Each structure stands twice: as C-alpha cells, then as structure tokens.
Amino acid sequence: MARTLRVRVSRTEGNRARLELTDGTGAPVATVRSLVLRPLSREQLNGVRAHSDCLFRPDWTRLPDSPALMSGKPPLYGLLGEPGPWLSDTLLRSGIRPTVYTDPASAAADAPAVVVACPPLTGADGTDRASAAHRATGWALRLAQDWLAEERLAGSRLVVLTSGAVTTGAEPDKSIRNDDAALVHAPVWGLLRSAQTENPGRFSLIDVDDRPASAGALARALTSPEPQTAVRHGVAYVPRLVRASHTATVAADGAPRRLRPDGTVLVTGGSGSLGMEFARHLVVAHGVRHLLLAGRRGADAPGVAELCAELTGLGAEVTVTACDVADRTALAALLASVPEAHPLTGVVHTAGVLDDGVIPALTQERLDRVLRPKVDAALALHELTRGSDLAVFALFSSVAGVFGSGGQGNYAAANSFLDALAQHRRALGLPGTSLAWGPWQQSGGMTAALRDADLRRMARSGFVPLRTEEGLSLFDTAVEGQDAVLVAARLDPAATGASGAPGAPLSRVPGQGPVRRASASLTGPGTDGEDSLRRRLAATPPGERGALLLSQVRAEAALALGHGAGESAVEADRALAELGLDSLAAVELRNRLAALTGLALPATLLFDCPTPRGVAAHLEERWSQEAPEAPGPLAVPGTIGPHAAGGARGGALPRWQDGATERAPATKGTDADSLSALFRTACARGKAWDGMVLLTIAARFREVFEGAEALGSSPSAVTLATGGSGPRLICFPALSALSGPHEYARFGPALQGRRPVSVLPNPGFLPQELLPATLGAFVAAQAASVRASAGDEPFVLLGRSAGGWVAHAVAEELESTGLTPSAVVLIDTYPGEESGLGGNGGHRPALSAMTAGMLENSAQFASAETGRLTAMAGYLELYAGWKPTELTAPTLFVRAGDRLPGIEAAEPWSLPHSEITVPGDHFTVLEDHSRTTALAVHTWLSEHLRVDASGGESQGHDREA
C-alpha cells in the first residue's frame, strides 16, 4: 500500500482535467481520465472565509483611568447583607465604608447611587460544584428580582462583586486550575448580563482579585458606568471581541491533535437536529467511523433511523442511546460501554433546553431546568473523561452567555458555565473548546419555536443567522485552534454600529462604549442637536407634549413589532398585545422609551397602559412631574452625582467609622408601608396567606359595580387573529396580578386565517376601573361582552388557569339565558381554593402549591401600584368555594404535559369533558409552546364540532329552539 501519493493535474478541454496518481517511486496508482470542475459560488466562498469573518475571541482590554472626582467628599455606597471576611477586607482596603442594608426593600427608602452585593460563600468541592453553581445562580436571580421589584431603587445601580469568576488572561494558570470560583460564579455573570440587557443601567458586574494594588482600582470601577469590569493587579479591564487566532493545537509530540478514525466520538444531544447535523459532519469531514449518539429520546427521535442508515452507508458504525447525560450514574454507564478497541477520543456536547422568560418571570425551577443539561452534564463529562486521551472536547455554548440575552437569563447563565469550564480544562492541559454560537438558519431543535418577532429582535441586536455550512466550517476551525472560548457568529456591521441601544447585546462590546452612552442613538437624526426628544419635549408647550409623545410611542412600537420606521402601522387606541407585543418586546419597548425620555419607567408599563395613547399619557404625566427645566445629558443610574458625593439626599446616611459597621435605619415612609411593599414582604417571609388577607381586605374598600349597566362600557375585546371559517375563540385572562390580554399574544396569532381570536379583559385591573361587587355581577358583565363581541356568529369560550373558571362561569350564565357556546376550552385549569384567601379571622388554610406560586410571582413582578394586586385578591375571594355545574356545550380540557416542579398536575376536571395533552408546563403552553397549543385546540374543534351544510362548524344554539 502506497504511503505517499503524488497527483499530476493536466487541464484538457473546457472545465475538464486529467489526473495521474503515482506513489513515491513514480509507479502508477490510478488515472482519472476526465474530471469536470465547477465554478465556486459566492456562497461557497463565504463558507471558506467563515473562520475570518465569523470567529471571535472574547478578550479583556485595559480601561483608561477615570478622572478623579471633583468633590472632596467621598461617594456614598450601600451594601446588601452582612459582609464576609473577604468582602470586608476588600472594601476596607478600597476606602469604602458602605451603609449595610438587609435587603433591597430596606435600602429603597434612601439608597445611595451605588449598592454592592457579593455572592455568598459556596463551599464547593469535587462533584458538589454543579449544585454550588445552581445555588449561586439562584441567589443572583432572587437578588435581581428583589432589586427590580423595588421601583424606588430605579435611580440606583446594583453592583455584584465577585472574585475569580472571569478569566482575563492576566491570571496565572495555577489560580484557574485550583479555584472553583470561575465555575461556580460564571453563571452569575451570565444571568446578570441578561438582566443588564433587559434593564439598562440597573446592574453592573465587577470581578476583583485579592492583590493590595487592586483596592484603588475597585473604588474607581464602582463609579464607572461600564457594565462589566475585571480588576487585576490594580488594573481595570473591560471585555471586547477580537479576531480569533488560527494557530492549531498540538499534542505532546508536536503533531496537530485530530480525531482518530479508530476512536469513538460521543455526541450528546445526538438525536436533536443540531446533534445529527454534526454527527454527519464528523463522519464526512473528519473521518470518524465510530459514533455514540446520546439523547433524551434516543433512537425514537425523528430522523435518527434515516441518519443511521446514511452514515452506515458511508462506513460508520453508529450507536444511538437514550441517556440523560446530566445523570452522572447513567453517563458513567454509557462511557463504560465504549469498547476498548475503539476508545473515546472526542466529546461534542450539544445538549440543551430552553425555557425563556424575562428575569422577573423566572423561578428557581425554570433556572435549574436549563442549567442541568449544560452545567451538570458538562461537569460530569469533564470529570468522567479525565482519564481518556481526548483530541476534542467541544461544548456548544451561546452568545447569550457572552453578551446577555433578553428573556434568556437562565440560558445565558448555563452557557457562561460552559465557557468557564473550557478555560478550566485548558489550564489543566486538557482539550476544551466552548463555541458561543450565534443564531443559525436551522428550523429544528431549539430554534423551532423562534417566531418572526424573535428573528427581528436578533437582527436588531446585530446577529445574522449562520448557514449550516458556515457553522460546520467554524466548528472545524475552532476545535483545531488554541482558544478555549470562541464566539461563532455573523455580526451585522450596520447593526453593531448602532447597537449602543440600551439592552442590545452588542452594545456591551468595548469600542461601542458603555450601554448608556449611546442611548441617544435611538432618537434618530439630530440626536446630538436640538432635535432630541428630551429637548423637543422641553421646548414644546405643555398642551402639545401629549401629541409629540404619542407620535414617538407609536413609532417606537412599530419598530419593536417589526413594522419598520413610522407610526402608521400602530393605531393609537389599539392594544399593543393585539398587535403581537409579547413580554420580551414589552421590555424592549419600555427600555427604548426610557432611553428617549430619560425617565425611569416601571416594568409593568405596557401591562398597565395597554395602548399607545395610554403609554403616551403616562409619559406625559411623568414628564410633567420629573423632567428638569432645562434638558441636559441623561444621568446614568448609579454614576456619581451630587448626592452620591456627599450632598443632601433626604438626610445623611450612617457610614462605617473606623472599620465598625453601622446598620441602616429601618425603612420609613409611606413607600415602605405601601400595600404592595407589605405584600412582597409577606411573601418573602413565607406568609403568602397573610399577604392575601391584607390585599383582600383592601379590595373590599374599592369602588364596585353591582351590574353590567353600572359598569358602563365594558373593557374592549382585543382582537388577536382574524379570518377562517371556524367559530370565534373568545379568551379570558387568568386572575393573577400579572394577567391580561398579553397572555394570549402568541396563542392568538398562531390561528390567523384559521379562526378569529379575541380576548376579553377582566375589569378592575387597570386604573380607574371598577371591581365587581359579586361573582354574579362579574359573570353577567362578561356574558354581555361576549354577546357584543360575537354578535350573531358562533363562538367558543376559552380560559387558561383561573381564566378557565371565568370561561365556564360565563358559559353557565349564557346557557341560562338560552344561548349555548359552540364549546368551552379549559387550558390546565386547576380547582379553586376551598375557602377564601381573605379569611374571616379564624383558621388559616394551607394554600395550594399553585396558588402560593402564583402569589409569589405576583409579589415579585407586580407594579408598585396596588390596583392589580387588589383586583387579584378581589376576584379570588369572589371565586372562593365556587363549584362549576355541568354544561350543555362540549368541554375540552387541555392538560399541560410537563409538571411544574413541586406542584402536582391539575386534578381531572370533575364534569363531562374531552381531554388532550400538549407539550409544556402550566405557563409555557401559552409561551414557548403556544403555537402547538393553538393548533391542538383548533384541530379538536374542527374534528368534534358538527359541520353544517356550508362547511362551517356548528354555531351556538338556542336551547328553546
């Protein structure tokens, strides 16, 4: 067999060539008489150039020293929680004497501009590092939620201070090898990067070493508006991206490390679309002949059988196993099954799950669900393969971890861990590459749920989806290189140039400037002159500001909804949820408006003010109350201003004196004693029932209506979909403080062209709205709204969770008058509490886990205005002890296939019904799985309702007819 092959290429006619192959001695081996050559397309050429255009390395660059403060008085700082020994020593050496607060609520009354918090000691060792990472990230989530819940802290910045959580390149390898801080606290950085994206200016991250010279640099970093800083040897660094190097990794003998054909490569997530794509690539491009594909569904996953047949035809041996790689025992057994003749030589970890939600909506359970296949699985893979001679250990991370991603705080946290693990392995002399992927053009796997709005949002953030061939080429370059962490993404220069927009991920790339510096770019032409919105508002007579703000709100809403520039696409009095504004788009729009006006706007702005006109009215009122007489540069929350430099701010704060700690005085004032603040305190102390007693009593003093006629005009129905021949779906929101038409913002549009969909809001949640005096008054009012909305057309009533109670009760009311709905649909509706939550001063019943969870979420995210909270309490009291009765209309019960952690599945509906199960949990059935849920409901209605002669489904019918 020839070990050396020489090829002579001779061009013949046209695009043809002749190939003569000989061995090292010149003896003939083979001849190719004619080979047709084809031109290389531009797309293929782009794929060849992908490594230079789309592969970057996160780096840290020195931050220029900031000028000294003009004031002779040192700035004031706050500190959350008792300082541990390390933090106390660090702050003392930095000359920082903060006021100590027990929690954000206690700091809210008179907080300084900068408040510091430090993760608790983890005590991680060995296999406990995964659980320590979960605990640390859970701490960061609760802290961020508590901070955002206190609207009085809108003018302050929370700085989370860590040590050793990031690797800058200025550390000795020994510190990276021996310190677990990077593995445990890296997810904290990932989660808080997303919190920064969602809430510009509210959070900063600083990582400092223990060198004495770093004390002064820490003090300067605390006053800097930079969102992320690392202090090493007295020097402050900020992150940036640089082009990746192209130096190949070599083995001990100096040869490049490559996968051996006789070795086995493990691909986790191997039954997913991305895992299968790379399995094919490993065989075709890398010559791998032994593949072990591990996935949750194993060989039962769609497309796996066809892939195995294809790869077997190419000469590969493929083993597919159903295995939870986060289960250390199961993974150990899987690795033990690798035959000695074909030892493990490569690991490609693609596994992951999504459970998207903005920071206030996340829970520890949703956090753990996303962390597990990344943190737990990758750490187990690292530890269980330490004895294997691996050429490749590739971890599939995401740009979400590097830049932060709105609505993906848990996913960003999980991927930041992968980046830290790859650096840890490199420091140990082991192969390790974490690829922080940008979006792909793939339509399967975790990208299957992406909607047009999500893709537009990514484009505005500066990311262009990669083609599959580009991604595969980037993988090849990355695993052969020497960099531990690489960003594999196609960046849009136009978007990155304007990405100073608050919250845009690429605004955090150094060179773009701190996130707040470029916020004025959102105002369009003339931002640096007299045409900025704030200057125009200041120059506009008070009676004309409302029109100016309404025009701006409509234009910004059009951009957030993907309609391009201009306000014509958004009607002034049409609910934004009706146009498809989901929770993440609401955060984005809120941030844009905050940047334009310079106002600190509540997280619930778009829920409290559902129409552009309502938002504009709120902005006009806030501007008249808070705007300065002469507009100037927008102050950065947390930067050093007069009050922070020691000036008056409602009274002096106690400081550390001679190293002694003084505790902040107890919070005083009406803000601290407000109903919403007391309710949050009750929930935080595990006394949700007591908090509901408080809200329920307050609800009894609200103005009420006794009947539909006293209500006046009912809340208008919000149309989410039109067209189609099926009966209209009329949906009812749930009854929590966070509920509203936005619950169906994804569900409704999925049925566009199939059947009309509208939502009837429940009265009492918005300002100036009345609450019903009795359950009968409420049901009668909603029944009247159904008649007005449906007219003479057939209709189906639908509700999720407690919205199902409303749908069923309204159906009962309508049937009692002779009008029967075509059907009633209950989506994961739980039974109500047996007794009222308000109580009568007697016993204290145990709340169901579902109700307690709902109350805790409401406490975390609800507006400081009490209207929504008391409306929730009032409705729950009305429904206390309510028992549904059997309907004439057919009932469909839609059960969520996934249980919420710690919460039992909904009990079977006690009345006659049909039942289907859909993917997702109690919440995600209308979020990530909204389209699947909508189509399942639509299909059931189409199949089970009788069809009339015209081909339409049966209408509601009169009992007496």
Side-chain angles (χ1 to χ4, degrees), residues 154-438:
S156 299
R157 177 165 50 94
L158 177 64
V159 178
V160 175
L161 188 63
T162 60
S163 182
V166 296
T167 302
T168 66
E171 307 88 355
D173 281 351
K174 181 179 179 181
S175 68
I176 305 174
R177 289 194 298 268
N178 299 334
D179 191 357
D180 284 329
L183 295 180
V184 173
H185 289 154
V188 171
W189 274 61
L191 183 135
L192 292 175
R193 283 174 181 139
S194 288
Q196 291 174 332
T197 302
E198 295 176 19
N199 305 274
R202 300 295 309 279
F203 299 94
S204 290
L205 288 160
I206 299 179
D207 191 87
V208 61
D209 61 15
D210 57 0
R211 301 300 178 96
S214 295
L218 172 61
R220 291 190 297 273
L222 286 171
T223 66
S224 168
E226 290 291 340
Q228 299 163 36
T229 310
V231 179
R232 297 291 185 270
H233 302 277
V235 178
Y237 297 87
V238 290
R240 65 170 180 170
L241 285 186
V242 297
R243 298 287 181 185
S245 64
H246 305 295
T247 306
T249 302
V250 297
D253 59 3
R257 297 185 69 99
R258 300 187 186 279
L259 291 168
R260 293 161 36 192
D262 63 333
T264 297
V265 176
L266 167 64
V267 180
T268 70
S271 56
S273 61
L274 197 61
M276 290 194 290
E277 196 69 61
F278 275 91
R280 180 183 293 107
H281 181 66
L282 289 168
V283 171
V284 174
H286 291 262
V288 173
R289 289 297 174 263
H290 304 279
L291 275 177
L292 178 56
L293 307 184
R296 287 171 294 173
R297 293 176 291 179
D300 295 332
V304 168
E306 294 80 359
L307 175 70
C308 291
E310 175 189 350
L311 299 186
T312 299
L314 294 174
E317 178 183 322
V318 183
T319 303
V320 182
T321 303
C323 177
D324 177 6
V325 292
D327 183 331
R328 189 182 181 89
T329 302
L331 178 61
L334 177 68
L335 295 174
S337 70
V338 176
E340 293 184 5
H342 306 292
L344 189 70
T345 56
V347 172
V348 180
H349 183 46
T350 76
V353 298
L354 291 174
D355 191 357
D356 292 352
V358 292
I359 292 294
L362 294 179
T363 63
Q364 183 68 52
E365 291 75 17
R366 297 179 72 180
L367 184 65
D368 292 339
R369 179 171 181 260
V370 175
L371 290 178
R372 191 172 183 273
K374 296 279 190 179
V375 174
D376 301 54
L379 192 57
L381 284 166
H382 159 65
E383 292 167 349
L384 294 174
T385 62
R386 287 284 294 268
S388 301
D389 183 19
L390 300 182
V392 170
F393 190 94
L395 303 166
F396 279 26
S397 180
S398 167
V399 292
V402 177
F403 299 113
S405 179
Q408 291 191 311
N410 48 6
Y411 193 59
N415 287 294
S416 292
F417 179 89
L418 298 185
D419 299 341
L421 179 59
Q423 292 171 321
H424 181 71
R425 286 182 60 87
R426 291 281 180 145
L428 292 172
L430 301 171
T433 305
S434 182
L435 285 114
W437 291 107

Side-chain angles (χ1 to χ4, degrees), residues 831-858:
E833 299 291 335
E834 290 296 327
S835 59
L837 298 180
N840 295 309
H843 67 289
R844 175 181 304 182
L847 296 178
S848 70
M850 175 57 72
T851 301
M854 179 266 291
L855 297 181
E856 290 173 3
N857 285 339
S858 298

Side-chain angles (χ1 to χ4, degrees), residues 396-636:
F396 279 26
S397 180
S398 167
V399 292
V402 177
F403 299 113
S405 179
Q408 291 191 311
N410 48 6
Y411 193 59
N415 287 294
S416 292
F417 179 89
L418 298 185
D419 299 341
L421 179 59
Q423 292 171 321
H424 181 71
R425 286 182 60 87
R426 291 281 180 145
L428 292 172
L430 301 171
T433 305
S434 182
L435 285 114
W437 291 107
W440 283 48
Q441 287 182 352
Q442 275 194 327
S443 59
M446 289 190 292
T447 63
L450 290 179
R451 301 165 297 130
D452 290 342
D454 300 313
L455 297 174
R456 290 193 299 266
R457 191 175 294 118
M458 282 189 282
R460 287 196 298 273
S461 298
F463 295 114
V464 178
L466 291 168
R467 297 187 304 275
T468 298
E469 60 270 20
E470 286 181 317
L472 299 176
S473 174
L474 292 170
F475 171 83
D476 295 343
T477 304
V479 297
E480 293 175 359
Q482 295 184 347
D483 293 318
V485 180
L486 290 165
V487 173
R490 181 169 292 282
L491 306 182
D492 179 6
T496 56
S499 66
L506 294 181
S507 67
R508 310 201 186 285
V509 179
Q512 304 291 341
V515 67
R516 279 282 181 168
R517 290 181 190 160
S519 62
S521 66
L522 290 173
T523 60
T527 56
D528 296 327
E530 296 297 323
D531 291 334
S532 70
L533 179 62
R534 292 193 299 277
R535 293 187 181 275
R536 283 182 287 152
L537 283 170
T540 300
E544 300 175 14
R545 285 176 186 157
L548 174 59
L549 285 166
L550 178 58
S551 175
Q552 193 73 46
V553 169
R554 292 174 65 191
E556 296 300 328
L559 286 173
L561 291 165
H563 297 308
E567 60 186 87
S568 59
V570 177
E571 300 173 20
D573 296 304
R574 191 173 180 186
L576 292 167
E578 180 179 343
L579 299 173
L581 191 82
D582 59 16
S583 59
L584 188 53
V587 168
E588 181 181 13
L589 178 56
R590 191 263 330 259
N591 288 343
R592 292 174 69 87
L593 294 173
L596 286 168
T597 61
L599 298 172
L601 301 176
T604 56
L605 172 67
L606 280 307
F607 298 156
D608 295 335
C609 308
T611 66
R613 192 180 303 279
V615 174
H618 177 85
L619 295 178
E620 182 182 13
E621 180 182 3
R622 290 286 301 278
W623 177 270
S624 66
Q625 297 171 349
E626 303 176 25
E629 294 182 4
L634 176 61
V636 179

Side-chain angles (χ1 to χ4, degrees), residues 36 115 167 311 331 434 605 626 649 653 672-673 676 679 722 732 776 781 792 809 827-828 896 928 939:
V36 179
V115 179
T167 302
L311 299 186
L331 178 61
S434 182
L605 172 67
E626 303 176 25
R649 193 189 185 206
L653 294 175
D673 297 331
S676 57
F679 174 62
T722 59
F732 295 98
D792 296 328
I827 299 181
D828 215 42
D928 298 344
T939 299

Side-chain angles (χ1 to χ4, degrees), residues 721-771:
T722 59
S725 59
R728 173 183 296 274
L729 268 177
I730 299 177
C731 308
F732 295 98
L735 300 175
S736 83
L738 307 181
S739 300
H742 54 275
E743 291 179 53
Y744 298 97
R746 297 188 184 186
F747 176 91
L751 297 180
Q752 178 65 33
R754 291 182 171 89
R755 67 175 68 243
V757 181
S758 59
V759 184
L760 280 178
N762 299 316
F765 284 89
L766 297 183
Q768 312 305 318
E769 287 186 348
L770 304 180
L771 276 177

Side-chain angles (χ1 to χ4, degrees), residues 650-881:
L653 294 175
R655 302 165 54 80
W656 277 1
Q657 301 290 341
D658 301 323
T661 302
E662 289 193 35
R663 183 164 301 282
T667 306
K668 298 179 181 179
T670 55
D671 288 341
D673 297 331
S674 69
L675 197 60
S676 57
L678 292 173
F679 174 62
R680 282 194 290 270
T681 299
C683 289
R685 295 178 178 177
K687 298 182 178 181
W689 189 89
D690 291 328
M692 278 305 297
V693 170
L694 187 67
L695 294 182
T696 304
I697 294 173
R700 294 171 185 169
F701 290 94
R702 284 189 54 175
E703 292 189 53
V704 297
F705 63 90
E706 298 284 351
E709 63 285 348
L711 177 62
S713 59
S714 301
S716 301
V718 176
T719 300
L720 299 181
T722 59
S725 59
R728 173 183 296 274
L729 268 177
I730 299 177
C731 308
F732 295 98
L735 300 175
S736 83
L738 307 181
S739 300
H742 54 275
E743 291 179 53
Y744 298 97
R746 297 188 184 186
F747 176 91
L751 297 180
Q752 178 65 33
R754 291 182 171 89
R755 67 175 68 243
V757 181
S758 59
V759 184
L760 280 178
N762 299 316
F765 284 89
L766 297 183
Q768 312 305 318
E769 287 186 348
L770 304 180
L771 276 177
T774 64
L775 182 58
F778 168 59
V779 172
Q782 291 296 64
S785 296
V786 168
R787 293 189 188 95
S789 178
D792 296 328
E793 299 297 322
F795 60 89
V796 173
L797 302 182
L798 179 147
R800 181 194 67 85
S801 190
W805 305 347
V806 181
H808 196 284
V810 171
E812 291 179 13
E813 171 69 16
L814 291 171
E815 289 190 354
S816 72
T817 65
L819 182 62
T820 301
S822 296
V824 174
V825 180
L826 310 176
I827 299 181
D828 215 42
T829 294
Y830 281 64
E833 299 291 335
E834 290 296 327
S835 59
L837 298 180
N840 295 309
H843 67 289
R844 175 181 304 182
L847 296 178
S848 70
M850 175 57 72
T851 301
M854 179 266 291
L855 297 181
E856 290 173 3
N857 285 339
S858 298
Q860 290 174 356
F861 193 45
S863 168
E865 299 175 4
T866 58
R868 288 183 171 275
L869 292 171
T870 54
M872 171 182 68
Y875 276 111
L876 292 180
E877 184 176 35
L878 291 181
Y879 271 97

